[in-house]
Amino acid sequence: MNNEKILIIDFGSQYTQLIARRIRENKVYSEIYPHTINASKVSEMNPRGIIFSGGPMSVYDVDAPTIDNEIINLGIPILGICYGLQYIAKVSGGVVEKARDREYGKAILQIKETDQLFNSVSSQSVAWMSHGDLVTSAPDGFKILATSEHSPICALANSDKKIYGVQFHPEVVHTEEGNKILSNFIFGICGCKGLWTPHNFIEKSIEDISALVGNDRVICALSGGVDSTVAAVLVHKAVGENLHCIHIDNGLMRKNESKKVIDLFNEKLHLPIVFVDASEIFLSRLKGVYDPELKRKIIGNTFIEVFEEEATKIKDAKYLVQGTLYPDVIESVSVKGKSATIKTHHNVGGLPEKMNLKLIEPFRELFKDEVRAAGRELSIDDEFLIRHPFPGPGLAVRVVGEITHDNLDTLREADEIFISEINKAGLYNEIWQAFTVILPVQSVGVMGDARTYENVLALRAVTSTDGMTADWYRFEHEFLANVSNLIINKVKGINRVVYDISSKPPSTIEWE
């Protein structure tokens, strides 16, 4: 079984999740931990290698993040990136100073000595820089491997201790030789073999879930989205008929969504499924609620209540399957040195403490594309796997402000038109996620000879790999004009359509 792991220690970089993605793309498992992790925990985890991320601060700032320096003495290979390099240099006796000419963007990396880190790397290539400090004097025992125009020390190595550092960011696509450099570290220096595959993940998950559950029964929260679909099939392989799938209509689903889910699961996947219409319970509790965090908490708590009520009908039900993903976990963490809390996810945020069911979260350490890969390994049709992500709180986070039946009905009709036109244009698979949002804004319009004062609708479509970063999709102007015209003419209550052109960061994909 695969025990390979690269540990990423996070100093607060915007690229930390990207480092994890790049390592996993090389079929090596990686995990992110805050800089507060101690040496004994690291030693217990026994990673093949450690990567120190970049970070927004100077190593000389009063509250600059630090680590338990015993980690450096564990004998585990280390690669420091940007702030990580500067931290290694500082604690090892080198000199870090404010740069006279800060480097942001592309720079020419010049290799002076290959060592293992730059094996087969071009002597000159483009690298991505993002720093205001730089190392001006190498610590004793370290040799300079590379330079750039504004960084006299762009890469360092202590080969005997297997400690390396680079000033640039090998994890971003703008660094031409970045993947080769990371591969040299994880394979050449750390000795990994690349055993992190969907097949191995599934095999290990089935074994673990089967051992955990025994003869107890498991309930799966089946929304019909990618995550819950793949989770259901995976857990079914582990526990067979002891799996009981439940689909709850919370009143916040897309148009005819629940009927489609029930039909698809009965006809295609042949998984047992129970349908529960709890829409009035959810909507009554959301009446008069405007705050998005409160919406999420109400939905999350109600979700647990409904499931626990259903669980009483199933003898020996002790577990609840949820499709929590790694980005959900990362975004819900508020430890200094990791990502700030952006929003509470419906299936993270402390809900297990309130439950009488124990959680099984098979994808808690996976990114979305890894779940899709697992789904293909499980022979699930692309019809299920290529569906755009749909948030756990459903349309509640796409009605900005108070949720009403009228707003939900209006949103469903508009959303169906938008997605239908995307499909007709053959664009669905080019887009990570597309949806509509009703804004708490009304505007003046003219229809026929009459004045209107109706809702504004926002269209949102983004491209992404894992949901951690995203860019807005560049539709043709004619496409947007056509969609706007269709929605305004066909959906009562909307007289203005706008298109969201913000990226993540600084925005999130969803509006709430």
Side-chain angles (χ1 to χ4, degrees):
M1 198 55 65
N2 176 28
N3 291 317
E4 290 185 344
K5 180 186 294 183
I6 297 294
L7 172 65
I8 300 166
I9 294 181
D10 184 17
F11 286 115
S13 171
Q14 62 178 315
Y15 299 132
T16 301
Q17 291 80 31
L18 193 52
I19 301 171
R21 293 289 308 114
R22 294 290 178 257
I23 301 300
R24 293 188 186 192
E25 285 168 5
N26 281 284
K27 298 183 179 178
V28 175
Y29 182 64
S30 61
E31 274 188 356
I32 300 168
Y33 280 80
H35 66 89
T36 50
I37 188 172
N38 60 46
S40 60
K41 174 68 174 175
V42 173
S43 182
E44 179 186 318
M45 292 170 63
N46 193 29
R48 291 292 181 89
I50 300 170
I51 294 179
F52 294 167
S53 83
M57 303 184 76
S58 165
V59 291
Y60 293 114
D61 286 346
V62 174
D63 55 350
T66 61
I67 62 165
D68 178 350
N69 286 330
E70 281 304 308
I71 292 172
I72 297 175
N73 300 321
L74 291 174
I76 300 170
I78 293 173
L79 172 63
I81 295 175
C82 197
Y83 182 97
L85 161 73
Q86 295 163 13
Y87 185 84
I88 289 170
K90 178 176 179 286
V91 299
S92 301
V95 178
V96 179
E97 299 182 57
K98 286 286 182 189
R100 185 172 59 185
D101 297 303
R102 296 184 298 176
E103 282 187 299
Y104 292 100
K106 295 179 180 179
I108 300 299
L109 177 70
Q110 297 181 320
I111 308 298
K112 300 300 181 184
E113 189 170 337
T114 58
D115 200 273
Q116 281 185 289
L117 189 66
F118 293 130
N119 185 36
S120 300
V121 172
S122 303
S123 59
Q124 286 194 359
S125 62
V126 172
W128 186 261
M129 299 286 189
S130 181
H131 65 99
D133 290 357
L134 75 169
V135 180
T136 56
S137 179
D140 290 342
F142 284 76
K143 56 188 176 184
I144 300 170
L145 300 183
T147 65
S148 71
E149 182 180 357
H150 298 297
S151 294
I153 300 176
C154 209
L156 284 174
N158 185 323
S159 303
D160 293 337
K161 294 184 176 180
K162 293 189 176 181
I163 299 175
Y164 298 81
V166 294
Q167 184 58 73
F168 55 93
H169 289 271
E171 69 272 24
V172 303
V173 294
H174 307 295
T175 298
E176 291 177 342
E177 299 274 33
N179 190 58
K180 191 177 292 182
I181 293 165
L182 289 174
S183 295
N184 285 338
F185 177 68
I186 60 180
F187 296 117
I189 295 170
C190 299
C192 294
K193 300 189 183 303
L195 305 174
W196 172 245
T197 65
H199 177 79
N200 289 342
F201 167 78
I202 290 166
E203 193 176 68
K204 179 69 162 58
S205 297
I206 291 172
E207 180 183 311
D208 289 347
I209 293 168
S210 180
L212 173 70
V213 172
N215 292 322
D216 293 324
R217 297 184 185 274
V218 182
I219 298 175
C220 181
L222 200 54
S223 69
V226 175
D227 308 328
S228 65
T229 298
V230 181
V233 175
L234 175 65
V235 174
H236 188 252
K237 285 188 174 291
V239 304
E241 62 183 17
N242 283 337
L243 174 68
H244 298 264
C245 296
I246 299 173
H247 174 73
I248 293 179
D249 182 356
N250 58 10
L252 303 166
M253 310 293 285
R254 289 168 289 199
K255 187 176 180 181
N256 298 323
E257 180 84 0
S258 289
K259 183 180 185 305
K260 291 175 184 176
V261 169
I262 299 300
D263 290 346
L264 287 172
F265 275 83
N266 283 331
E267 296 168 11
K268 293 285 181 74
L269 293 179
H270 308 292
L271 288 177
I273 185 168
V274 173
F275 172 69
V276 179
D277 184 355
S279 54
E280 287 308 315
I281 299 171
F282 281 85
L283 296 181
S284 65
R285 293 184 181 182
L286 289 166
K287 187 175 181 180
V289 177
Y290 292 81
D291 179 73
E293 276 296 282
L294 185 54
K295 286 181 188 177
R296 289 174 180 272
K297 285 182 170 62
I298 290 170
I299 292 165
N301 291 334
T302 305
F303 165 82
I304 295 300
E305 281 182 35
V306 173
F307 259 85
E308 290 198 323
E309 185 178 340
E310 289 301 313
T312 62
K313 303 173 186 176
I314 301 170
K315 187 179 178 182
D316 296 326
K318 292 186 179 177
Y319 295 93
L320 171 65
V321 177
Q322 287 191 172
T324 311
L325 300 186
Y326 202 26
D328 297 341
V329 176
I330 293 168
E331 285 195 344
S332 297
V333 170
S334 56
V335 178
K336 183 182 176 184
K338 290 190 76 174
S339 304
T341 299
I342 308 300
K343 57 192 176 187
T344 302
H345 286 265
H346 73 288
N347 51 357
V348 183
L351 292 177
E353 285 79 359
K354 301 178 182 179
M355 292 171 50
N356 295 323
L357 296 169
K358 298 174 185 176
L359 275 182
I360 295 176
E361 298 174 300
F363 306 143
R364 189 177 176 86
E365 295 167 350
L366 297 192
F367 292 94
K368 175 72 78 172
D369 58 314
E370 292 172 323
V371 174
R372 287 193 169 108
R376 291 187 179 97
E377 186 71 23
L378 288 164
S379 301
I380 299 173
D381 290 347
D382 267 357
E383 176 183 0
F384 296 95
L385 300 179
I386 63 174
R387 298 190 74 194
H388 290 178
F390 188 62
L395 300 182
V397 293
R398 296 178 181 175
V399 174
V400 180
E402 184 181 16
I403 297 163
T404 66
H405 283 88
D406 286 346
N407 277 343
L408 288 170
D409 289 341
T410 299
L411 187 59
R412 288 187 183 102
E413 295 301 323
D415 194 74
E416 185 177 54
I417 291 171
F418 187 33
I419 300 302
S420 175
E421 291 305 305
I422 287 173
N423 276 312
K424 284 181 187 176
L427 302 174
Y428 189 85
N429 292 343
E430 292 182 22
I431 296 168
W432 165 268
Q433 194 169 4
F435 55 90
T436 57
V437 182
I438 283 195
L439 307 184
V441 175
Q442 291 187 308
S443 69
V444 174
V446 178
M447 290 187 180
D449 293 324
R451 174 187 183 275
T452 63
Y453 191 60
E454 295 178 328
N455 291 103
V456 178
L457 183 89
L459 308 178
R460 178 77 157 142
V462 298
T463 57
S464 182
T465 301
D466 50 34
M468 295 306 301
T469 60
D471 194 15
W472 59 280
Y473 186 79
R474 272 69 170 173
F475 286 114
E476 294 290 336
H477 292 175
E478 284 304 311
F479 175 88
L480 290 174
N482 179 54
V483 169
S484 174
N485 188 55
L486 285 172
I487 290 172
I488 290 172
N489 285 334
K490 292 188 174 185
V491 182
K492 185 178 179 181
I494 296 172
N495 69 356
R496 191 179 300 271
V497 174
V498 298
Y499 185 51
D500 181 350
I501 60 169
S502 359
S503 297
K504 176 185 179 179
S507 302
T508 55
I509 296 176
E510 297 285 347
W511 278 51
E512 289 194 338

